[in-house]
Amino acid sequence: MKMNLYQYDMKKGILSLLGTILLFTTQAQTGKSPLTLADEYFAAGEYYTAAHLYGQYLKPIVKTRAVGDFPLSIKSRRGGTAAVVRNKEEVLAKMAESYRLAHYWQEASSIYQTLASSNPDSYVDGLYWFAVCQRSLGHYDSARQSLEQYIETRSSVKKWDEAAKKELQTLQYIQQQLARPDSILFQVKKVDATGSFERGMFALTPYAGGQFLVSSTRADSTVSLTENPNKSSLYTASLQGNQLGALNPLDIPAGTPGWNTGAASVSADGQWLYFTQWKKENGQTVSQIWMARKNGTSWGNPELANSLNSAGSNSKQPYCSADGKYLYFSSDRKNGKGGFDIWVASLDAQGKPGTPINAGAMVNTPGDEIAPYYQSSSTTMVYSSNGKGGMGGFDLFSVEGKENEWVHPLNLGHPVNSSRDDIYFYAAENQSLLAHALVGSDRGTGCCLETYQVTKKPKTQSMSGIILDCKTGSPLADAEVILKQNGKAIAQTTTNEQGQYRFQMEGERAKGLSVHLKKSEFTDTTQSLVTSNIDESDLLSDRIAFEPACIAPVEPPPVEKLVIRVEDVVTVYFDFDKHNLKSPAVAKLDSIYTVLLENPGATIQISGYTDGLGTENYNKVLSDKRARACANYLIKKGIDPVRISFVSFGACCPVEMELLNGRDNPDGRSKNRRALINVKKY
């Protein structure tokens, strides 16, 4: 379905008291019948007014004339244009189409249903349009049933088969979107603003002093009776939470008096205002982009942004990037991809736009792409399109890149988009795109586009990594991992048997992360975390993997090398009731081995001893084992047994007292459990 594009700012012209007077006054002045007037308003794109006139024709207002109530102009009644006689079904169809094009879905749906059910053979297309209206109203099951019935109908009259199949695809996409698990992360609220329901409130963009520029429709009492009295204008207002403050008219001279004004943007330095003006002309919308320079505290006289406008074409909805480099806008100028496209113009040092380039086929389609917004901090553009499929009408898409180099666009999905038209987007710089956004949409029951606040809670961050032994490269179990952000501890865990750790975090993705690692017999260390992979495929949780970190084992203090000289006596010690060699004993024996290699004529004598505990025979055997343990170690290393002799003394000859004041002296006993090695040189 192709809608009347402009700006979407006045898509549902309000029939106010002035509008009602317009109907009857114009009829009285022209002498034209409601049907003739309806056709003229329809041709001019004033669909809501046309719908009411078609309704008046089908059900005329009967006025009872009192005595003496004579017409003011009998001549005018006689000389009026004769009404074209058409059957009721044809007028009803035109009335339904008027409501549909004005996006009064409920009214259009009722008439299409009547047409389709009363005479399905002659007006089978009413079933298709009824389905479109039902989809727009959120009645998806009813829409699907009607579309399937329409497709199955074998009639030469129907002409929307392909469109019906696309509508079925739209419904399928809607169902998929409604089932998205991450919908629970979103909150959508209509911005509370006085007059929003009746006059619309859309295209919010930042202005000076914390204010926002706002486009809204107001009745203009200065227009002629043949014009739509509702005009769009620019206002400023504060936005506190979900409440838009009072609208204050923007003090700016009109580019072209009497035209609609809206969809504006201020340059990054605040010195230029770019805005759109448009009007209806011969049933078509004509639009241009104007620019005005700051003049003290007000704006100077506007001038046409010549490079953005092209003869015979329309340009609208400018948006200046926050980095001050580019101006994005929508235009149906030549050399596009079809319909309205997104175009990009560089801004010079004085804020004037250069020659625009088309954003390219990755963004633009044969359909319409409008209302661009660009977030410089994330190099992401958000725009509205009806040429890529989606939830119905215009959907909002995001795409990363700049100028005419973009990656694949993504539909922002439900609930950012609805089954109606979603146009205009704004989010502050240096924050997640959907953390706190403003969206223009007609998903409500108001007259026009209204503004909605969209907030999305961040996905859970599942962060994992592995801790290794720096020396061996092996995974370390039971290592304590303390997660820090900018030096402050925020979480703590312990590695599993595979050396793995994991943290589950809520909120925005953390930056400046490090881990402090601790483990017994290892040196405490702090290391920055380096991301190796991010998996964002899950709609509720991002999985972030970090590069492995390692922790070094504690190195024992260096053992002073024992230098044995010939004719020295070396003592090695043993544990209670043991004869196995301990590490210090092995080190001493290795040193003796070196001496024996350096002195081929040297020999050693080993004598073994025990403490005083145990029987004499037991101690004799134990001391012998201790002496032999030393001898066997050297023999295994290659020393000739003939160079080694040993003798066992048991508990003989203690070097320390084992009893002090009648009490046991363990330290003394430990020094008596020994072997003496005497190195002799011949």
Side-chain angles (χ1 to χ4, degrees):
M1 180 183 66
K2 185 82 170 178
M3 59 172 238
N4 183 332
L5 263 182
Y6 192 70
Q7 186 77 355
Y8 215 85
D9 302 340
M10 294 175 58
K11 68 181 178 71
K12 295 179 181 176
I14 311 160
L15 192 62
S16 61
L17 176 59
L18 184 57
T20 305
I21 296 172
L22 168 65
L23 295 179
F24 296 104
T25 306
T26 305
Q27 183 180 352
Q29 289 180 344
T30 64
K32 296 178 181 179
S33 73
L35 183 57
T36 301
L37 285 173
D39 289 339
E40 291 178 359
Y41 274 100
F42 184 93
E46 302 291 354
Y47 301 118
Y48 188 74
T49 304
H52 273 263
L53 283 165
Y54 286 126
Q56 183 185 345
Y57 171 79
L58 292 170
K59 188 180 290 188
I61 298 175
V62 178
K63 181 181 180 183
T64 303
R65 182 159 54 92
V67 175
D69 184 9
F70 293 97
L72 296 176
S73 176
I74 297 177
K75 181 178 179 180
S76 66
R77 292 185 63 177
R78 290 177 179 172
T81 303
V84 179
V85 178
R86 295 209 295 261
N87 62 51
K88 178 181 178 182
E89 183 180 275
E90 183 183 351
V91 178
L92 269 177
K94 206 68 174 177
M95 183 178 178
E97 187 177 5
S98 299
Y99 276 126
R100 174 173 60 81
L101 293 174
H103 292 75
Y104 277 79
W105 302 107
Q106 188 61 61
E107 291 81 352
S109 177
S110 298
I111 301 173
Y112 280 127
Q113 186 177 30
T114 300
L115 288 167
S117 59
S118 63
N119 195 347
D121 292 330
S122 63
Y123 199 73
V124 67
D125 286 339
L127 194 60
Y128 166 74
W129 289 116
F130 171 70
V132 171
C133 294
Q134 289 295 93
R135 183 260 298 162
S136 299
L137 292 168
H139 304 155
Y140 306 125
D141 290 338
S142 173
R144 179 180 291 102
Q145 293 171 8
S146 298
L147 288 169
E148 291 172 348
Q149 182 182 347
Y150 177 80
I151 293 172
E152 292 171 1
T153 301
R154 298 187 179 277
S155 171
S156 59
V157 179
K158 65 175 186 173
K159 58 182 178 180
W160 300 98
D161 279 33
E162 291 304 315
K165 292 173 183 177
K166 290 182 179 179
E167 271 292 319
L168 282 175
Q169 293 174 358
T170 297
L171 289 172
Q172 183 179 8
Y173 182 78
I174 289 173
Q175 293 300 332
Q176 292 172 352
Q177 289 297 304
L178 294 178
R180 283 173 58 138
D182 64 335
S183 294
I184 62 174
L185 301 177
F186 286 89
Q187 185 179 56
V188 180
K189 289 184 177 179
K190 189 170 74 170
V191 171
D192 187 7
T194 303
S196 176
F197 183 89
E198 301 86 359
R199 297 184 289 271
M201 208 76 63
F202 47 90
L204 271 68
T205 53
Y207 192 60
Q211 299 278 300
F212 278 83
L213 281 174
V214 183
S215 298
S216 186
T217 302
R218 294 291 185 273
D220 184 357
S221 59
T222 64
V223 300
S224 69
L225 290 176
T226 57
E227 293 183 78
N228 189 319
N230 302 295
K231 299 292 183 183
S232 180
S233 300
L234 277 171
Y235 302 85
T236 61
S238 61
L239 181 63
Q240 300 294 331
N242 198 52
Q243 178 69 49
L244 191 70
L247 299 188
N248 300 302
L250 183 66
D251 183 17
I252 177 173
T256 304
W259 285 34
N260 294 282
T261 303
S265 180
V266 178
S267 62
D269 60 7
Q271 295 304 301
W272 286 96
L273 173 71
Y274 304 88
F275 62 94
T276 314
Q277 282 206 308
W278 73 97
K279 70 171 181 175
K280 285 286 182 65
E281 192 173 78
N282 299 322
Q284 301 295 320
T285 300
V286 178
S287 58
Q288 299 171 327
I289 296 178
W290 291 73
M291 51 193 294
R293 188 160 194 164
K294 197 76 172 178
N295 184 13
T297 58
S298 60
W299 297 103
N301 291 323
E303 60 184 87
L304 274 172
N306 290 325
S307 67
L308 307 183
N309 300 300
S310 178
S313 302
N314 298 284
S315 296
K316 59 184 180 180
Q317 300 158 327
Y319 187 85
C320 298
S321 62
D323 60 11
K325 295 181 179 180
Y326 301 103
L327 185 144
Y328 297 81
F329 67 104
S330 180
S331 177
D332 62 357
R333 63 202 294 143
K334 295 179 180 179
N335 301 319
K337 306 303 177 184
F340 277 85
D341 280 5
I342 303 301
W343 294 76
V344 189
S346 297
L347 294 170
D348 64 18
Q350 286 71 43
K352 292 196 173 185
T355 302
I357 61 173
N358 190 281
M362 187 63 73
V363 169
N364 295 313
T365 70
D368 297 301
E369 281 69 45
I370 60 175
Y373 153 84
Y374 190 80
Q375 188 181 59
S376 298
S377 57
S378 65
T379 63
T380 301
M381 179 170 67
V382 178
Y383 63 100
S384 192
S385 174
N386 65 3
K388 294 180 179 293
M391 296 188 67
F394 279 90
D395 274 17
L396 289 165
F397 290 79
S398 68
V399 61
E400 294 184 16
K402 65 177 182 178
E403 297 187 83
N404 60 353
E405 298 179 358
W406 309 92
V407 298
H408 187 69
L410 298 174
N411 190 303
L412 290 181
H414 172 78
V416 179
N417 288 314
S418 68
S419 61
R420 298 196 190 176
D421 290 304
D422 303 288
I423 304 173
Y424 297 113
F425 182 95
Y426 172 75
E429 293 287 322
N430 300 307
Q431 70 172 28
S432 174
L433 200 64
L434 295 176
H436 191 86
L438 297 173
V439 171
S441 178
D442 75 334
R443 68 189 66 186
T445 58
C447 81
C448 316
L449 283 175
E450 297 184 86
T451 299
Y452 292 78
Q453 278 189 343
V454 176
T455 55
K456 183 185 181 184
K457 291 170 52 180
K459 293 195 285 185
T460 299
Q461 312 298 314
S462 178
M463 302 180 290
S464 63
I466 186 170
I467 305 301
L468 305 176
D469 183 325
C470 291
K471 187 173 183 180
T472 66
S474 303
L476 278 181
D478 301 319
E480 187 177 349
V481 184
I482 302 171
L483 182 66
K484 294 186 174 183
Q485 184 178 17
N486 299 324
K488 181 180 179 181
I490 57 175
Q492 183 173 335
T493 189
T494 304
T495 57
N496 61 17
E497 293 182 357
Q498 290 75 42
Q500 299 167 335
Y501 67 88
R502 186 178 301 276
F503 292 104
Q504 292 287 118
M505 305 294 293
E506 301 290 338
E508 291 286 347
R509 189 172 297 168
K511 298 179 180 178
L513 293 177
S514 62
V515 283
H516 184 71
L517 308 176
K518 301 171 67 175
K519 182 174 171 62
S520 176
E521 300 184 358
F522 284 78
T523 303
D524 291 6
T525 184
T526 298
Q527 298 180 25
S528 296
L529 286 174
V530 179
T531 302
S532 63
N533 184 59
I534 300 177
D535 181 359
E536 298 178 327
S537 59
D538 189 288
L539 294 177
L540 293 177
S541 179
D542 288 339
R543 290 187 272 278
I544 305 170
F546 296 117
E547 296 286 351
C550 75
I551 183 171
V554 175
E555 295 291 342
V559 177
E560 185 177 350
K561 187 175 182 180
L562 178 65
V563 179
I564 302 295
R565 296 185 302 275
V566 290
E567 300 177 357
D568 279 354
V569 177
V570 177
T571 304
V572 298
Y573 296 97
F574 297 86
D575 288 335
F576 174 71
D577 198 25
K578 303 291 183 183
H579 64 276
N580 57 294
L581 298 173
K582 299 195 292 185
S583 296
V586 170
K588 291 180 179 180
L589 288 169
D590 286 340
S591 182
I592 292 172
Y593 169 76
T594 301
V595 171
L596 293 175
L597 290 180
E598 293 173 350
N599 298 273
T603 61
I604 60 172
Q605 182 183 26
I606 306 172
S607 54
Y609 301 88
T610 68
D611 60 21
L613 297 177
T615 65
E616 181 178 350
N617 288 336
Y618 185 85
N619 287 339
K620 185 75 173 177
V621 173
L622 181 59
S623 64
D624 183 71
K625 290 181 179 179
R626 288 172 175 169
R628 287 180 182 275
C630 297
N632 290 337
Y633 181 82
L634 294 171
I635 291 170
K636 287 181 179 180
K637 287 178 71 71
I639 301 300
D640 191 339
V642 299
R643 301 175 66 186
I644 303 172
S645 62
F646 54 88
V647 61
S648 305
F649 291 99
C652 167
C653 317
V655 294
E656 293 286 344
M657 297 180 63
E658 297 186 3
L659 291 174
L660 291 176
N661 299 322
R663 294 184 178 182
D664 186 63
N665 180 18
D667 291 338
R669 292 186 185 280
S670 67
K671 292 181 180 179
N672 292 332
R673 299 190 290 267
R674 69 196 188 280
L676 298 179
I677 305 171
N678 187 24
V679 183
K680 296 182 179 181
K681 181 179 180 183
Y682 294 97

